[in-house]
mmCIF file of all heavy atoms in Angstrom:
data_model
loop_
_atom_site.group_PDB
_atom_site.id
_atom_site.type_symbol
_atom_site.label_atom_id
_atom_site.label_comp_id
_atom_site.label_asym_id
_atom_site.label_seq_id
_atom_site.Cartn_x
_atom_site.Cartn_y
_atom_site.Cartn_z
ATOM 1 N N PHE D 1 104.929 85.438 129.892
ATOM 2 C CA PHE D 1 103.797 85.480 130.807
ATOM 3 C C PHE D 1 102.643 86.281 130.218
ATOM 4 O O PHE D 1 101.482 85.851 130.280
ATOM 5 C CB PHE D 1 104.238 86.084 132.142
ATOM 6 C CG PHE D 1 103.156 86.083 133.193
ATOM 7 C CD1 PHE D 1 102.886 84.937 133.914
ATOM 8 C CD2 PHE D 1 102.416 87.222 133.445
ATOM 9 C CE1 PHE D 1 101.885 84.926 134.890
ATOM 10 C CE2 PHE D 1 101.423 87.227 134.411
ATOM 11 C CZ PHE D 1 101.151 86.082 135.137
ATOM 12 N N TYR D 2 102.932 87.430 129.651
ATOM 13 C CA TYR D 2 101.869 88.295 129.134
ATOM 14 C C TYR D 2 101.430 87.891 127.732
ATOM 15 O O TYR D 2 100.284 88.131 127.348
ATOM 16 C CB TYR D 2 102.316 89.752 129.189
ATOM 17 C CG TYR D 2 102.629 90.189 130.601
ATOM 18 C CD1 TYR D 2 103.938 90.398 131.022
ATOM 19 C CD2 TYR D 2 101.609 90.337 131.535
ATOM 20 C CE1 TYR D 2 104.223 90.764 132.329
ATOM 21 C CE2 TYR D 2 101.883 90.703 132.844
ATOM 22 C CZ TYR D 2 103.190 90.916 133.235
ATOM 23 O OH TYR D 2 103.473 91.266 134.541
ATOM 24 N N MET D 3 102.308 87.278 126.971
ATOM 25 C CA MET D 3 101.885 86.747 125.675
ATOM 26 C C MET D 3 100.884 85.625 125.854
ATOM 27 O O MET D 3 99.850 85.571 125.185
ATOM 28 C CB MET D 3 103.090 86.248 124.877
ATOM 29 C CG MET D 3 103.899 87.335 124.206
ATOM 30 S SD MET D 3 102.998 88.246 122.922
ATOM 31 C CE MET D 3 102.849 86.989 121.645
ATOM 32 N N TYR D 4 101.166 84.701 126.771
ATOM 33 C CA TYR D 4 100.281 83.564 126.977
ATOM 34 C C TYR D 4 98.952 83.991 127.592
ATOM 35 O O TYR D 4 97.894 83.511 127.202
ATOM 36 C CB TYR D 4 100.942 82.536 127.912
ATOM 37 C CG TYR D 4 102.190 81.872 127.382
ATOM 38 C CD1 TYR D 4 103.162 81.390 128.256
ATOM 39 C CD2 TYR D 4 102.406 81.700 126.021
ATOM 40 C CE1 TYR D 4 104.303 80.757 127.801
ATOM 41 C CE2 TYR D 4 103.553 81.082 125.552
ATOM 42 C CZ TYR D 4 104.505 80.611 126.445
ATOM 43 O OH TYR D 4 105.639 79.996 125.980
ATOM 44 N N GLY D 5 99.006 84.899 128.570
ATOM 45 C CA GLY D 5 97.802 85.212 129.328
ATOM 46 C C GLY D 5 96.992 86.378 128.833
ATOM 47 O O GLY D 5 95.772 86.402 129.021
ATOM 48 N N ASP D 6 97.627 87.380 128.211
ATOM 49 C CA ASP D 6 96.926 88.595 127.794
ATOM 50 C C ASP D 6 96.900 88.795 126.277
ATOM 51 O O ASP D 6 95.840 88.942 125.680
ATOM 52 C CB ASP D 6 97.574 89.828 128.441
ATOM 53 C CG ASP D 6 97.299 89.918 129.928
ATOM 54 O OD1 ASP D 6 96.191 89.543 130.340
ATOM 55 O OD2 ASP D 6 98.194 90.354 130.675
ATOM 56 N N ARG D 7 98.083 88.796 125.677
ATOM 57 C CA ARG D 7 98.163 89.135 124.245
ATOM 58 C C ARG D 7 97.457 88.084 123.395
ATOM 59 O O ARG D 7 96.848 88.419 122.378
ATOM 60 C CB ARG D 7 99.635 89.257 123.843
ATOM 61 C CG ARG D 7 99.876 89.791 122.428
ATOM 62 C CD ARG D 7 99.801 91.303 122.369
ATOM 63 N NE ARG D 7 99.879 91.767 120.983
ATOM 64 C CZ ARG D 7 100.996 92.079 120.349
ATOM 65 N NH1 ARG D 7 102.152 91.980 120.975
ATOM 66 N NH2 ARG D 7 100.963 92.489 119.101
ATOM 67 N N ARG D 8 97.510 86.827 123.797
ATOM 68 C CA ARG D 8 96.844 85.778 123.021
ATOM 69 C C ARG D 8 95.334 86.022 122.944
ATOM 70 O O ARG D 8 94.686 85.663 121.972
ATOM 71 C CB ARG D 8 97.123 84.410 123.652
ATOM 72 C CG ARG D 8 96.429 83.240 122.946
ATOM 73 C CD ARG D 8 97.113 82.897 121.633
ATOM 74 N NE ARG D 8 96.366 81.899 120.882
ATOM 75 C CZ ARG D 8 96.365 80.585 121.103
ATOM 76 N NH1 ARG D 8 97.096 80.100 122.100
ATOM 77 N NH2 ARG D 8 95.671 79.776 120.352
ATOM 78 N N GLY D 9 94.775 86.625 123.970
ATOM 79 C CA GLY D 9 93.351 86.941 123.959
ATOM 80 C C GLY D 9 93.018 88.255 123.300
ATOM 81 O O GLY D 9 91.863 88.677 123.304
ATOM 82 N N LEU D 10 94.020 88.933 122.745
ATOM 83 C CA LEU D 10 93.883 90.226 122.069
ATOM 84 C C LEU D 10 93.616 91.370 123.038
ATOM 85 O O LEU D 10 93.142 92.429 122.626
ATOM 86 C CB LEU D 10 92.782 90.198 120.997
ATOM 87 C CG LEU D 10 92.848 89.086 119.960
ATOM 88 C CD1 LEU D 10 91.757 89.296 118.906
ATOM 89 C CD2 LEU D 10 94.207 89.014 119.296
ATOM 90 N N LEU D 11 93.929 91.187 124.314
ATOM 91 C CA LEU D 11 93.755 92.275 125.261
ATOM 92 C C LEU D 11 94.684 93.439 124.933
ATOM 93 O O LEU D 11 94.349 94.600 125.163
ATOM 94 C CB LEU D 11 94.037 91.772 126.675
ATOM 95 C CG LEU D 11 93.640 92.675 127.832
ATOM 96 C CD1 LEU D 11 92.146 92.942 127.826
ATOM 97 C CD2 LEU D 11 94.059 92.062 129.156
ATOM 98 N N PHE D 12 95.853 93.118 124.389
ATOM 99 C CA PHE D 12 96.795 94.131 123.923
ATOM 100 C C PHE D 12 97.131 93.848 122.465
ATOM 101 O O PHE D 12 97.021 92.718 121.990
ATOM 102 C CB PHE D 12 98.091 94.106 124.742
ATOM 103 C CG PHE D 12 97.924 94.533 126.157
ATOM 104 C CD1 PHE D 12 97.642 93.610 127.153
ATOM 105 C CD2 PHE D 12 98.050 95.864 126.515
ATOM 106 C CE1 PHE D 12 97.487 93.990 128.468
ATOM 107 C CE2 PHE D 12 97.904 96.261 127.829
ATOM 108 C CZ PHE D 12 97.613 95.324 128.810
ATOM 109 N N ARG D 13 97.557 94.878 121.763
ATOM 110 C CA ARG D 13 98.058 94.726 120.404
ATOM 111 C C ARG D 13 99.206 95.704 120.204
ATOM 112 O O ARG D 13 99.443 96.594 121.019
ATOM 113 C CB ARG D 13 96.958 94.988 119.384
ATOM 114 C CG ARG D 13 96.381 96.397 119.429
ATOM 115 C CD ARG D 13 95.555 96.705 118.194
ATOM 116 N NE ARG D 13 96.391 96.767 117.009
ATOM 117 C CZ ARG D 13 95.902 96.814 115.763
ATOM 118 N NH1 ARG D 13 94.609 96.786 115.553
ATOM 119 N NH2 ARG D 13 96.715 96.884 114.736
ATOM 120 N N SER D 14 99.939 95.527 119.118
ATOM 121 C CA SER D 14 101.027 96.449 118.816
ATOM 122 C C SER D 14 100.459 97.840 118.575
ATOM 123 O O SER D 14 99.434 97.990 117.903
ATOM 124 C CB SER D 14 101.790 95.981 117.574
ATOM 125 O OG SER D 14 102.351 94.709 117.784
ATOM 126 N N TYR D 15 101.151 98.838 119.117
ATOM 127 C CA TYR D 15 100.668 100.210 118.917
ATOM 128 C C TYR D 15 101.039 100.719 117.532
ATOM 129 O O TYR D 15 100.200 101.201 116.791
ATOM 130 C CB TYR D 15 101.242 101.140 119.992
ATOM 131 C CG TYR D 15 100.846 102.581 119.745
ATOM 132 C CD1 TYR D 15 99.535 102.985 119.963
ATOM 133 C CD2 TYR D 15 101.757 103.506 119.254
ATOM 134 C CE1 TYR D 15 99.150 104.288 119.703
ATOM 135 C CE2 TYR D 15 101.387 104.805 119.007
ATOM 136 C CZ TYR D 15 100.076 105.201 119.232
ATOM 137 O OH TYR D 15 99.696 106.484 118.962
ATOM 138 N N ALA D 16 102.323 100.612 117.186
ATOM 139 C CA ALA D 16 102.769 101.076 115.870
ATOM 140 C C ALA D 16 102.330 100.078 114.805
ATOM 141 O O ALA D 16 102.045 98.917 115.078
ATOM 142 C CB ALA D 16 104.277 101.254 115.856
ATOM 143 N N LYS D 17 102.285 100.525 113.572
ATOM 144 C CA LYS D 17 101.837 99.677 112.475
ATOM 145 C C LYS D 17 102.959 99.498 111.454
ATOM 146 O O LYS D 17 103.504 100.454 110.928
ATOM 147 C CB LYS D 17 100.620 100.307 111.770
ATOM 148 C CG LYS D 17 99.433 100.570 112.697
ATOM 149 C CD LYS D 17 98.804 99.293 113.187
ATOM 150 C CE LYS D 17 98.092 98.563 112.093
ATOM 151 N NZ LYS D 17 97.461 97.318 112.580
ATOM 152 N N ASP D 18 103.334 98.265 111.204
ATOM 153 C CA ASP D 18 104.213 97.918 110.102
ATOM 154 C C ASP D 18 104.032 96.436 109.829
ATOM 155 O O ASP D 18 103.222 95.760 110.473
ATOM 156 C CB ASP D 18 105.675 98.296 110.374
ATOM 157 C CG ASP D 18 106.271 97.556 111.571
ATOM 158 O OD1 ASP D 18 105.807 96.439 111.891
ATOM 159 O OD2 ASP D 18 107.198 98.083 112.191
ATOM 160 N N GLN D 19 104.779 95.872 108.902
ATOM 161 C CA GLN D 19 104.530 94.499 108.479
ATOM 162 C C GLN D 19 104.710 93.494 109.612
ATOM 163 O O GLN D 19 103.884 92.606 109.808
ATOM 164 C CB GLN D 19 105.442 94.125 107.308
ATOM 165 C CG GLN D 19 105.166 92.728 106.755
ATOM 166 C CD GLN D 19 106.048 92.383 105.579
ATOM 167 O OE1 GLN D 19 107.027 93.073 105.310
ATOM 168 N NE2 GLN D 19 105.714 91.319 104.871
ATOM 169 N N ILE D 20 105.804 93.631 110.365
ATOM 170 C CA ILE D 20 106.066 92.663 111.432
ATOM 171 C C ILE D 20 104.980 92.724 112.495
ATOM 172 O O ILE D 20 104.452 91.704 112.941
ATOM 173 C CB ILE D 20 107.455 92.904 112.045
ATOM 174 C CG1 ILE D 20 108.547 92.584 111.026
ATOM 175 C CG2 ILE D 20 107.641 92.073 113.312
ATOM 176 C CD1 ILE D 20 109.949 92.849 111.504
ATOM 177 N N ARG D 21 104.626 93.939 112.875
ATOM 178 C CA ARG D 21 103.594 94.087 113.894
ATOM 179 C C ARG D 21 102.241 93.599 113.381
ATOM 180 O O ARG D 21 101.486 92.954 114.107
ATOM 181 C CB ARG D 21 103.512 95.543 114.325
ATOM 182 C CG ARG D 21 104.775 96.031 115.034
ATOM 183 C CD ARG D 21 104.777 97.548 115.154
ATOM 184 N NE ARG D 21 105.930 98.034 115.885
ATOM 185 C CZ ARG D 21 107.126 98.219 115.347
ATOM 186 N NH1 ARG D 21 107.338 97.936 114.075
ATOM 187 N NH2 ARG D 21 108.119 98.691 116.068
ATOM 188 N N ASP D 22 101.929 93.919 112.136
ATOM 189 C CA ASP D 22 100.662 93.467 111.566
ATOM 190 C C ASP D 22 100.598 91.954 111.489
ATOM 191 O O ASP D 22 99.548 91.346 111.729
ATOM 192 C CB ASP D 22 100.461 94.071 110.173
ATOM 193 C CG ASP D 22 100.125 95.568 110.222
ATOM 194 O OD1 ASP D 22 99.790 96.047 111.322
ATOM 195 O OD2 ASP D 22 100.201 96.221 109.178
ATOM 196 N N LEU D 23 101.718 91.308 111.158
ATOM 197 C CA LEU D 23 101.738 89.850 111.092
ATOM 198 C C LEU D 23 101.497 89.246 112.478
ATOM 199 O O LEU D 23 100.777 88.255 112.620
ATOM 200 C CB LEU D 23 103.074 89.363 110.532
ATOM 201 C CG LEU D 23 103.260 89.446 109.024
ATOM 202 C CD1 LEU D 23 104.673 89.052 108.645
ATOM 203 C CD2 LEU D 23 102.255 88.551 108.301
ATOM 204 N N THR D 24 102.100 89.855 113.504
ATOM 205 C CA THR D 24 101.894 89.355 114.861
ATOM 206 C C THR D 24 100.441 89.489 115.268
ATOM 207 O O THR D 24 99.814 88.531 115.739
ATOM 208 C CB THR D 24 102.789 90.113 115.854
ATOM 209 O OG1 THR D 24 104.156 89.895 115.515
ATOM 210 C CG2 THR D 24 102.543 89.650 117.282
ATOM 211 N N ASP D 25 99.886 90.673 115.115
ATOM 212 C CA ASP D 25 98.492 90.893 115.492
ATOM 213 C C ASP D 25 97.555 90.017 114.669
ATOM 214 O O ASP D 25 96.596 89.453 115.195
ATOM 215 C CB ASP D 25 98.119 92.366 115.317
ATOM 216 C CG ASP D 25 98.834 93.265 116.321
ATOM 217 O OD1 ASP D 25 99.088 92.798 117.442
ATOM 218 O OD2 ASP D 25 99.135 94.412 115.980
ATOM 219 N N GLY D 26 97.846 89.884 113.380
ATOM 220 C CA GLY D 26 97.002 89.062 112.519
ATOM 221 C C GLY D 26 97.069 87.592 112.874
ATOM 222 O O GLY D 26 96.049 86.889 112.875
ATOM 223 N N ALA D 27 98.268 87.099 113.189
ATOM 224 C CA ALA D 27 98.412 85.692 113.550
ATOM 225 C C ALA D 27 97.679 85.380 114.846
ATOM 226 O O ALA D 27 97.052 84.329 114.986
ATOM 227 C CB ALA D 27 99.896 85.341 113.689
ATOM 228 N N LEU D 28 97.746 86.291 115.807
ATOM 229 C CA LEU D 28 97.036 86.086 117.060
ATOM 230 C C LEU D 28 95.524 86.141 116.848
ATOM 231 O O LEU D 28 94.780 85.330 117.405
ATOM 232 C CB LEU D 28 97.461 87.144 118.076
ATOM 233 C CG LEU D 28 98.899 87.029 118.592
ATOM 234 C CD1 LEU D 28 99.311 88.306 119.306
ATOM 235 C CD2 LEU D 28 99.034 85.836 119.535
ATOM 236 N N LYS D 29 95.085 87.064 116.024
ATOM 237 C CA LYS D 29 93.657 87.263 115.807
ATOM 238 C C LYS D 29 93.019 86.095 115.065
ATOM 239 O O LYS D 29 91.926 85.638 115.396
ATOM 240 C CB LYS D 29 93.442 88.560 115.033
ATOM 241 C CG LYS D 29 92.003 88.970 114.856
ATOM 242 C CD LYS D 29 91.947 90.384 114.309
ATOM 243 C CE LYS D 29 90.517 90.813 114.089
ATOM 244 N NZ LYS D 29 89.842 89.977 113.097
ATOM 245 N N THR D 30 93.715 85.589 114.048
ATOM 246 C CA THR D 30 93.177 84.478 113.258
ATOM 247 C C THR D 30 93.601 83.119 113.794
ATOM 248 O O THR D 30 93.262 82.086 113.213
ATOM 249 C CB THR D 30 93.623 84.604 111.787
ATOM 250 O OG1 THR D 30 95.055 84.596 111.721
ATOM 251 C CG2 THR D 30 93.085 85.888 111.170
ATOM 252 N N ASN D 31 94.371 83.123 114.903
ATOM 253 C CA ASN D 31 94.828 81.897 115.555
ATOM 254 C C ASN D 31 95.658 81.032 114.603
ATOM 255 O O ASN D 31 95.502 79.814 114.536
ATOM 256 C CB ASN D 31 93.643 81.089 116.097
ATOM 257 C CG ASN D 31 94.002 80.330 117.360
ATOM 258 O OD1 ASN D 31 94.682 80.850 118.237
ATOM 259 N ND2 ASN D 31 93.585 79.090 117.445
ATOM 260 N N LYS D 32 96.575 81.670 113.908
ATOM 261 C CA LYS D 32 97.465 80.965 112.975
ATOM 262 C C LYS D 32 98.918 81.179 113.404
ATOM 263 O O LYS D 32 99.766 81.587 112.604
ATOM 264 C CB LYS D 32 97.239 81.479 111.547
ATOM 265 C CG LYS D 32 95.808 81.322 111.051
ATOM 266 C CD LYS D 32 95.422 79.868 110.855
ATOM 267 C CE LYS D 32 93.945 79.706 110.476
ATOM 268 N NZ LYS D 32 93.586 80.390 109.249
#
């Protein structure tokens, strides 16, 4: 529910930083 409605729009992002989290945030941001 929150991935489709909020996270996809970048309203939230991962707080901690590592490769998996960066890939998630990057994929959402670049729409890939």
Side-chain angles (χ1 to χ4, degrees):
F1 184 80
Y2 300 107
M3 282 296 290
Y4 295 153
D6 289 324
R7 188 82 187 269
R8 178 75 187 281
L10 308 185
L11 192 60
F12 293 91
R13 62 166 293 169
S14 299
Y15 176 72
K17 302 292 290 181
D18 63 26
Q19 184 179 13
I20 293 177
R21 294 167 177 82
D22 287 346
L23 281 175
T24 298
D25 292 328
L28 291 166
K29 186 170 179 298
T30 59
N31 212 42
K32 302 292 175 60

